[in-house]
Amino acid sequence: MKKLVAASGPSAMFFAGLLLLVTGVLSPASALDLASRTVPILLFVVAMTIVTELAELAGLFRFVTARMVRWGAQSTSARPSGGRVLVLWLLVVALATLSTVFLSLDTTAVLVTPVVVTLARHARIHPLPFALTTVWLANTASLFLPVSNLTNLLAQHQLDLRPLGFIELLWAPAVAGIVVPMFFLWLLFRKDLHGKYQAPTVPPVTDKRILVLSAITVALLLPALVSGIAVAIPASIAAIFLLIVFMTRRPSVLRWSMVPIQPLLLTVGLFMVVAAFHDHGLSQALGPVAGTGNGFLSLLQLAGTGALSANGVNNLPAYLALEPLADTPLRLAALLIGVNLGPLISPWASLATLLWHSRLKAMGVNISWGSYALAGLCLVLVLLPTAVLALWLSAGLPS
C-alpha cells in the first residue's frame, strides 16, 4: 500500500500533464518544442542512473572511499590505523563535490550518503556532520558542469554553450557554492571535527573483473561528459556496456527498478504543467517579481525569486517558470544560482534532498526538519548574495 501511495504522486503529475495536452490547454507546438529540449536530457538521466547503480553494485564507491580514508589516516598519523577527523571530513567534502560535479547531485544523494554514514559509524564518529555535508554539497556544488544538475542541462540548451563555455560563465559562483557551505559546516561542527578516528578496513572485492571494468568505464565517461559531445551519447554507451558486463557475470542483480521510472514521470509531468502555464501568461505574471537588467541588485532579485520558488515548490518547476525572464546569459546564470544553491530550506526543494532523507531514514539516522530548515536558511542568506556578487564581478559589468 505504501509503495502504491508513493507511486501515485509522480503518476498523477504525469497524467495531469497528459490531460493538459489532450484538452488543448498545453498546445501541441509547445509540447513538441518541450520534447525537443527535454528528451535527450531525460535519456541522459536514465543512462547515468544505470551507470551509477551498476558501479555501486560493483563496489566502486565503497572501494574508492575506503582507500581514500585509509590514505588520509596514513598521511596524518604516525600509526597507519588512525587519522584526524578533520582530514576525514575534508575527504568527504572532496567525494561529495566530485560526485556532484561529474555524476550529478542525485547520484551524490543516493550513493554517497550511505557510504559516508557507514564510514562515520565504522570510524565511531557521529554521522550528522558527514550527512549534512553530503546534502548541502549535492545542491550547492551543482553549478560547475551541465551534467551536475538537470537545470544546468536545460540552461545549456538555452545558452547553446559547450561545457567549457558553461564553466567560463559560472566558475566564480560555483566556487562560492563550495567554499561558503564548507565554512558554515566547519562553524556548525568544529567541535565534532576534532580528534582522531580509526580507519575502516577496505571491503573485500567479490568480483575483481567487474570492479575494474566499472572503474575504467567511469574513468573514461567523466572526460567524455565535458568534451562537448551531447552527454546522452557517452552516458548511453557506458550504460549499455556495463549492462552487458553484468548480464555476462552477475545477471541476478539486474532489476527494472534501476530505471528511475517514478522520477521520470514526475519530471515529465512537471515539464508539461509548467509549459501549459507558460502558454497562458505565466511569464507576464512573474515579470514584476523577477525584475530586469544585469546589475547586481537585479541579478540578486532574480536569484532570490528562484530560491524562494524552489523552496516553495521545487527547483525544477521554479527554473522552468522563470527561464523566459532570464533573457541574457548573466540573468540565466543568476537564475541557476537561485534554483541550484537556494533549495536548502524545505525538504521538497530538490529531489536530491528527498532522496538523501530517504537514505538516512533507511539507515536509522534521524533529522530534525526544523533544525535543517534553520541551518539552511542561515546559509542561503549568506550564500546567495555571495554567489551573485561573484558572478557579477567575474562578468565585469557595471551596476
Side-chain angles (χ1 to χ4, degrees), residues 18-75:
L18 281 182
L19 182 62
L20 292 174
L21 177 60
V22 170
T23 58
V25 177
L26 171 62
S27 68
S30 295
L32 287 174
D33 180 64
L34 182 66
S36 68
R37 291 187 60 190
T38 59
V39 168
I41 294 173
L42 296 176
L43 177 60
F44 165 76
V45 170
V46 172
M48 281 303 297
T49 301
I50 293 173
V51 168
T52 52
E53 288 273 4
L54 293 178
E56 168 65 11
L57 286 173
L60 181 60
F61 292 94
R62 296 189 300 275
F63 183 82
V64 170
T65 303
R67 289 288 183 181
M68 288 174 61
V69 172
R70 290 184 67 80
W71 172 81
Q74 292 167 1
S75 66

Side-chain angles (χ1 to χ4, degrees), residues 234-379:
S236 298
I237 292 172
I240 292 170
F241 174 74
L242 286 182
L243 281 171
I244 293 172
V245 169
F246 273 81
M247 285 178 184
T248 303
R249 297 188 64 84
R250 292 178 63 190
S252 61
V253 302
L254 297 177
R255 57 194 188 279
W256 282 107
S257 60
M258 289 180 179
V259 180
I261 295 175
Q262 295 303 321
L264 283 177
L265 291 176
L266 177 64
T267 301
V268 172
L270 286 170
F271 282 153
M272 290 191 289
V273 169
V274 175
F277 276 112
H278 276 305
D279 278 351
H280 296 275
L282 179 62
S283 298
Q284 292 85 342
L286 292 176
V289 180
T292 57
N294 291 321
F296 169 69
L297 292 179
S298 297
L299 296 176
L300 183 58
Q301 181 181 357
L302 179 56
T305 303
L308 187 64
S309 301
N311 283 288
V313 187
N314 179 268
N315 65 336
L316 184 59
Y319 171 82
L320 291 172
L322 293 165
E323 184 190 64
L325 303 172
D327 51 2
T328 68
L330 208 61
R331 285 182 61 78
L332 197 58
L335 175 57
L336 287 178
I337 289 173
V339 298
N340 287 18
L341 307 189
L344 302 176
I345 303 169
S346 67
W348 54 81
S350 77
L351 177 61
T353 303
L354 293 173
L355 294 171
W356 168 80
H357 181 254
S358 68
R359 288 294 169 122
L360 290 184
K361 188 176 180 181
M363 299 184 76
V365 179
N366 295 318
I367 297 294
S368 166
W369 283 121
S371 299
Y372 176 89
L374 180 60
L377 176 62
C378 293
L379 173 57

Side-chain angles (χ1 to χ4, degrees), residues 89 128-130 132-133 136 184-194:
W89 174 69
L128 183 58
F130 289 4
L132 191 61
T133 297
W136 274 7
F184 265 74
L185 286 161
W186 179 81
L187 282 179
L188 284 172
F189 300 111
R190 58 190 181 278
K191 293 182 180 179
D192 299 286
L193 298 177
H194 282 302

